[in-house]
Amino acid sequence: MITKEEMPACPVATTVSLIGSKWKLLIIRNLLVRPWRFNELKKDLEGISQKVLTDSLRSMEADGIITRTVYPEVPPRVEYALSELGESMRPIIKSMEAWGISYKEAHE
């Protein structure tokens, strides 16, 4: 988790430091639909390594963007979902999606 002292003065830089990696944005995109299990995310995010996925999920959990729920089953089932803070990013991701669609249409 980024401490208050470590946060950049610029709010955009703060947001980028929290979700600015390619993989974090794509993880959030998936979690906007429903909770996902680790292996589901790994399969869906083609090219992500297990280490990068693990590190990204841990980082976003520490920052309060996602929640991790462990179900007491054998074997244990773990699901990742957006927290309330993560859900608040929905308009940002939807705006990025709309912009990407417009860009692709203009450059086809």
Side-chain angles (χ1 to χ4, degrees):
M1 176 174 238
I2 299 174
T3 65
K4 191 172 184 176
E5 295 77 32
E6 295 171 328
M7 283 187 204
C10 171
V12 173
T14 299
T15 304
V16 169
S17 71
L18 291 169
I19 63 163
S21 81
K22 165 187 171 181
W23 296 116
K24 285 182 180 180
L25 285 170
L26 294 177
I27 291 166
I28 292 169
R29 175 206 62 192
N30 283 18
L31 295 178
L32 283 170
V33 178
R34 63 175 173 84
W36 288 65
R37 294 174 72 177
F38 183 90
N39 286 332
E40 290 178 312
L41 286 168
K42 177 110 173 52
K43 287 177 187 171
D44 192 71
L45 301 171
E46 191 172 313
I48 193 169
S49 70
Q50 184 164 331
K51 180 184 180 345
V52 169
L53 179 55
T54 298
D55 291 348
S56 297
L57 290 169
R58 284 181 182 162
S59 171
M60 289 192 296
E61 184 183 11
D63 292 331
I65 296 168
I66 66 169
T67 59
R68 179 179 183 266
T69 305
V70 180
Y71 294 92
E73 302 171 355
V74 178
R77 178 170 51 106
V78 178
E79 284 186 345
Y80 297 91
L82 289 177
S83 65
E84 189 175 327
L85 177 62
E87 275 291 335
S88 73
M89 293 180 181
R90 184 176 294 275
I92 297 167
I93 305 301
K94 290 298 180 186
S95 292
M96 291 174 73
E97 177 185 38
W99 187 90
I101 289 168
S102 296
Y103 181 87
K104 287 174 78 171
E105 287 172 353
H107 292 87
E108 287 181 344

